[in-house]
Amino acid sequence: MRTYSISEAAKELNLTVYTLRYYDKEGLMPFVERTPSGTRLFKESDIGALKIIECLKATGMPIKEIKSFIDWCSEGDSTLQQRYDMFMERKASVEAQMDELRKTMEVIEHKCMYYKTALDAGTEDIHKNDKIGSFITN
């Protein structure tokens, strides 16, 4: 079974060693074994669990809530419903973020078209009647 040092795990996850130590301090890595001298030994399954932690973090979930999820995992099947509900909430949150990003992209695409046609025409005057274009011209 392959094990990773903290620096190898950090590299595998594209994180810093400091981040992994912080996660450990916050109780997010109770599953990581240590040698008798205290050196952390990361297994493939630990790397997978840390990828889930990073995923949750990317959704904007606070460390405290991620810690609750880790605790639920340790408790076993009795917390399956809580874990499912948490992921359904995360899914809804990410879908809302994606909707906002789509709206943002629409504005950006409009402005790209606005400036491209102005560049092609050699003037912004081509967009005199464009409410968004005249409202936000830079």
Side-chain angles (χ1 to χ4, degrees), residues 47-94:
I47 301 293
L50 285 160
K51 286 179 180 177
I52 298 297
I53 290 169
E54 282 301 291
C55 172
L56 292 173
K57 212 171 131 249
T59 70
M61 180 180 261
I63 294 289
K64 182 179 174 184
E65 289 180 33
I66 296 172
K67 168 79 167 87
S68 293
F69 168 70
I70 298 296
D71 292 344
W72 291 336
C73 290
S74 299
E75 291 174 31
D77 289 349
S78 64
T79 62
L80 283 171
Q81 187 67 53
Q82 288 105 313
R83 289 183 271 162
Y84 173 77
D85 292 345
M86 185 209 71
F87 271 97
M88 291 304 291
E89 288 171 14
R90 289 290 94 199
K91 182 177 183 279
S93 173
V94 169

Side-chain angles (χ1 to χ4, degrees), residues 37-49:
S37 63
T39 304
R40 295 170 190 88
L41 290 177
F42 293 83
K43 300 179 301 248
E44 285 292 334
S45 60
D46 300 335
I47 301 293

Side-chain angles (χ1 to χ4, degrees), residues 1 6 19 22 34 38 41 46 71 76 91 94 98 101 113 132 136:
M1 174 179 64
I6 193 167
T19 299
Y22 172 73
R34 289 181 181 255
L41 290 177
D46 300 335
D71 292 344
K91 182 177 183 279
V94 169
M98 289 170 67
L101 284 173
M113 182 275 311
I132 293 177
I136 308 170

Side-chain angles (χ1 to χ4, degrees), residues 120-136:
D120 290 347
T123 179
E124 239 179 312
D125 289 346
I126 195 168
H127 295 295
K128 281 189 215 171
N129 296 328
D130 184 340
K131 299 260 191 266
I132 293 177
S134 59
F135 179 68
I136 308 170

